[in-house]
């Protein structure tokens, strides 16, 4: 490996290619850490919203399923 260069392997479905990045870019990378932290907070919030939305979307189906299951048990059908 050449001195002063970092090698980053990027796997794609069709091939593997190498991207080279100068070590001079490390100063810029350090300044992006703060923005990555805020992006992480947004991703966690988006994940929470998706989980909540999924739970609310599935709830009516779960209620109907439980009602059908209770009625079948009431009629003596083994599950």
């Amino acid at each position: 490996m050449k001195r002063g260069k970092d090698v980053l392997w990027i796997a794609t479905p069709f091939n593997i290619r190498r991207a080279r990045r100068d070590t001079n870019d490390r100063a810029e990378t350090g300044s992006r850490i703060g923005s990555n932290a805020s992006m992480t907070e947004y991703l966690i919030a988006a994940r929470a919203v998706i989980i909540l939305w999924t739970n609310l979307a599935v709830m009516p189906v779960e209620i109907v399923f439980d009602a059908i299951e209770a009625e079948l048990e009431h009629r003596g059908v083994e599950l």
Side-chain angles (χ1 to χ4, degrees):
M1 180 178 356
K2 293 183 181 178
R3 192 166 220 184
K5 298 278 186 180
D6 290 334
V7 177
L8 174 67
W9 288 93
I10 302 172
T12 63
F14 304 105
N15 65 353
I16 296 177
R17 59 190 169 109
R18 289 192 313 182
R20 293 196 180 267
R21 186 179 65 182
D22 287 332
T23 54
N24 298 336
D25 293 340
R26 288 185 184 177
E28 294 176 11
T29 304
S31 67
R32 286 187 251 155
I33 291 175
S35 65
N36 287 340
S38 64
M39 180 57 84
T40 301
E41 293 174 5
Y42 290 129
L43 290 171
I44 291 171
R47 178 182 174 265
V49 168
I50 291 169
I51 291 171
L52 177 65
W53 181 82
T54 303
N55 286 337
L56 291 175
V58 170
M59 191 181 307
V61 175
E62 195 173 339
I63 292 170
V64 170
F65 182 82
D66 288 342
I68 292 170
E69 190 176 38
E71 182 62 28
L72 289 173
E73 286 178 4
H74 177 72
R75 294 183 181 199
V77 177
E78 290 186 30
L79 300 176

